Amino acid sequence: MDRFVINANTLVVLQKEDGNAVLVKGGITADGFEVLSIYSKGWLTFAYLKDHQGIWWFNARTNKASLFSQDIEAFRVVHEDYSSDSQHVYLEDKPVSPSDPGSFELLPGTSYFAKDKHQLYVKESQHFHVFDEMDTSAAIARHDYCTDQDHLFHLSSGLRYANEYKHEMVDWLREHHPDIPGWWQTGYAHHADNAIQLTGDWYATATSVFYRTESDGGYRRDAKETFNLVRGADRSSFGPLDEQFARDRNQVYFQWRTIRGADPKSFESLGGRFGRDKQHIYYNGYRIEGADVLTFEVLGGTEHLGLSRDQNHVYHAQYARTLQPFGHPDDVLQRIKGADTATFEVLTPSGSWAVDANQVYLWGIVNKKIDRASFTHLLEADPQSWAKDRNGLYNANGKRTVKGIDGASFVMLNRYWGKDDQAVFSFVTGGVYKTADAETFQVTDDEGGAEDKLFRYSIHDGAVRKKIK
């Protein structure tokens, strides 16, 4: 492993395994120098270091040390790139806020999770985030699963609710944690046995409220029902607003999650995952900072994409951090940079294509390769959605550009056929027919019939058939 050495009593140098030495940048000195912790990620060396100024983090990617804490007395290395002082828990040199160093600890049974009294810390090889929807006082981990008394979570692309997989953990929890009163115990206070339907997927017992989900359904297999506890719901005042939102006298809920800060008295659903109260807009249970409540509108039929706007911005849904810099990832509403709210228009019921005065949008994402001036939407035939510009022909399903078609000369003949100067194209099959004679090709009816100088064409069961005249 590489090691740090003092060069001429004034400079700190990283001595590499191959014999080369490089100066450590950033301003760390030899005065009081000490290596507190050192470890490798692949062939790179990272370290917590100290000098008379304070605590430094050495980043091998930049060969630079950064001073991030002067609290030398309280500083401790917890594990590799976790550390703390009297004020903060740190990931490398970045303070996590809020954090509580006094209650911070790694969870046994996993390399992924740590906790303090505020939140769960989730760290995998490429990403880090915190998760504050868990009761960390009762957190238990096993590999990539983590649970509290009410909910089970699983780490994949992010930390997700995984209550539908409780059967995979129940025996282990009963064996290793028989004294904790969690969902795996027969005497658990919030079992959904004998729950009655309130409306839609909202269910309740005499004391608890649940949101029902279905999963793993398929051919010859019934979907599995899961009853997710709406934690903290007041049964006596609880009432659903629609299929996804509900409220009680104290809080607003999106499915089984609490919408933090939402005002239950003024809250209303806007359809799909959208809602608002008198001060804020919410999507998927998360507040949209800066959205204008008075002018905000959902662009009809595109709730699944989150397409919406107010007087200042256009928005769409993306899987991204719920907060910066360390919020957990989920589907959140984000501004579309550069979108012109005054001229933004959704062209299709599916939301596949949209435009404003300057740009073309494919599924809510700016497509800079498409020419706005010559762009034309042609046809929506679920799941296909066709458009063209002077450069080509495009299918929104799969974000495909059709090879062999000249966009400048392409014309749509009807919902079955189109052609350019050299080739014939079928919207049904998505295929280019270069052997057809484009010059004489014409449609003969509105049911897929067509002809050129030598052949007649028809479409049956999604396939093109050709007969000689």
Side-chain angles (χ1 to χ4, degrees):
M1 181 182 291
D2 301 340
R3 62 191 181 92
F4 295 91
V5 297
I6 304 299
N7 183 17
N9 294 321
T10 58
L11 301 174
V12 178
V13 172
L14 179 65
Q15 185 80 43
K16 294 183 174 293
E17 283 188 338
D18 60 10
N20 294 321
V22 293
L23 179 66
V24 175
K25 298 180 289 185
I28 192 168
T29 70
D31 184 7
F33 179 79
E34 183 180 344
V35 177
L36 301 179
S37 176
I38 187 169
Y39 69 99
S40 295
K41 288 184 179 181
W43 63 87
L44 297 176
T45 297
F46 296 80
Y48 283 107
L49 309 173
K50 178 175 77 72
D51 72 359
H52 73 285
Q53 303 169 82
I55 308 299
W56 301 71
W57 168 255
F58 176 74
N59 187 336
R61 297 184 182 91
T62 60
N63 195 45
K64 184 177 181 180
S66 56
L67 179 67
F68 67 93
S69 174
Q70 296 177 308
D71 192 2
I72 295 175
E73 293 300 320
F75 183 82
R76 67 186 179 108
V77 177
V78 180
H79 178 70
E80 293 188 343
D81 47 3
Y82 278 135
S83 65
S84 67
D85 59 19
S86 60
Q87 300 296 317
H88 299 288
V89 174
Y90 297 89
L91 176 74
E92 298 179 350
D93 58 339
K94 302 173 184 65
V96 180
S97 181
S99 58
D100 181 65
S103 62
F104 182 82
E105 62 177 313
L106 302 174
L107 289 183
T110 180
S111 60
Y112 300 112
F113 305 118
K115 71 170 186 176
D116 66 14
K117 68 179 184 180
H118 297 294
Q119 63 217 344
L120 189 73
Y121 296 68
V122 184
K123 184 175 67 172
E124 49 184 323
S125 59
Q126 300 297 321
H127 301 96
F128 170 82
H129 64 267
V130 295
F131 188 83
D132 59 3
E133 295 181 16
M134 169 178 278
D135 177 9
T136 56
S137 67
I140 300 169
R142 187 188 186 201
H143 305 312
D144 50 0
Y145 280 101
C146 194
T147 191
D148 61 16
Q149 293 184 358
D150 301 312
H151 294 289
L152 179 67
F153 305 87
H154 181 253
L155 178 61
S156 51
S157 58
L159 194 66
R160 296 295 190 102
Y161 285 86
N163 291 323
E164 64 271 28
Y165 298 112
K166 283 181 174 179
H167 63 280
E168 296 185 6
M169 287 282 288
V170 63
D171 291 339
W172 182 86
L173 286 165
R174 286 174 177 171
E175 178 182 354
H176 292 86
H177 299 279
D179 300 325
I180 295 179
W183 55 262
W184 54 94
Q185 305 290 11
T186 56
Y188 173 62
H190 301 294
H191 281 301
D193 300 340
N194 302 317
I196 61 171
Q197 185 180 31
L198 300 178
T199 184
D201 289 317
W202 299 101
Y203 286 74
T205 63
T207 58
S208 306
V209 179
F210 303 88
Y211 188 82
R212 185 185 70 99
T213 55
E214 292 186 350
S215 60
D216 299 331
Y219 180 66
R220 293 185 177 179
R221 185 174 68 243
D222 292 335
K224 177 184 176 181
E225 287 187 322
T226 300
F227 290 85
N228 304 275
L229 176 69
V230 183
R231 184 151 45 193
D234 177 65
R235 179 67 181 90
S236 63
S237 62
F238 183 89
L241 296 173
D242 63 6
E243 286 294 318
Q244 309 227 51
F245 290 99
R247 65 183 168 193
D248 59 23
R249 63 167 59 96
N250 302 310
Q251 300 182 114
V252 182
Y253 307 93
F254 177 76
Q255 297 180 359
W256 61 91
R257 295 178 8 240
T258 301
I259 305 179
R260 295 184 179 178
D263 174 45
K265 291 183 179 179
S266 63
F267 191 90
E268 61 178 327
S269 172
L270 298 178
R273 297 181 177 189
F274 290 93
R276 70 178 170 196
D277 62 18
K278 61 184 178 181
Q279 291 186 311
H280 299 288
I281 300 295
Y282 303 86
Y283 179 81
N284 196 29
Y286 304 107
R287 180 186 295 178
I288 312 307
E289 297 296 342
D292 182 70
V293 175
L294 295 179
T295 61
F296 186 87
E297 62 173 326
V298 180
L299 298 176
T302 65
E303 290 88 349
H304 58 298
L305 297 175
L307 287 174
S308 51
R309 66 179 166 193
D310 60 20
Q311 64 181 359
N312 301 310
H313 303 287
V314 181
Y315 305 87
H316 70 142
Q318 283 192 306
Y319 187 69
R321 290 188 183 275
T322 51
L323 291 171
Q324 293 295 335
F326 295 133
H328 69 277
D330 204 344
D331 294 326
V332 295
L333 206 64
Q334 296 195 321
R335 297 172 184 174
I336 303 178
K337 293 181 180 179
D340 179 51
T341 187
T343 61
F344 189 88
E345 179 185 6
V346 179
L347 301 179
T348 62
S350 66
S352 53
W353 299 103
V355 295
D356 62 17
N358 305 306
Q359 301 180 115
V360 177
Y361 302 83
L362 179 56
W363 301 115
I365 306 295
V366 176
N367 191 313
K368 295 185 179 297
K369 295 181 180 180
I370 296 179
D371 177 62
R372 172 66 185 97
S374 60
F375 176 82
T376 304
H377 175 251
L378 299 174
L379 175 67
E380 184 90 347
D382 187 40
Q384 314 300 331
S385 185
W386 300 96
K388 60 161 274 186
D389 67 2
R390 61 185 175 85
N391 300 311
L393 176 66
Y394 311 99
N395 185 0
N397 184 16
K399 302 179 182 179
R400 171 183 166 227
T401 300
V402 179
K403 295 181 180 180
I405 290 294
D406 171 54
S409 63
F410 185 84
V411 293
M412 175 181 168
L413 302 176
N414 62 11
R415 61 189 301 267
Y416 299 96
W417 298 102
K419 68 177 183 177
D420 65 12
D421 289 341
Q422 303 296 324
V424 173
F425 177 79
S426 169
F427 290 109
V428 176
T429 66
V432 177
Y433 298 89
K434 292 187 176 181
T435 58
D437 181 61
E439 182 178 357
T440 61
F441 187 91
Q442 60 183 350
V443 298
T444 56
D445 58 48
D446 292 330
E447 298 180 354
E451 67 179 11
D452 62 15
K453 64 182 179 180
L454 297 178
F455 297 96
R456 290 190 176 91
Y457 303 85
S458 60
I459 295 177
H460 296 280
D461 298 325
V464 173
R465 296 182 181 179
K466 182 173 70 172
K467 291 183 180 181
I468 194 166
K469 284 185 175 178

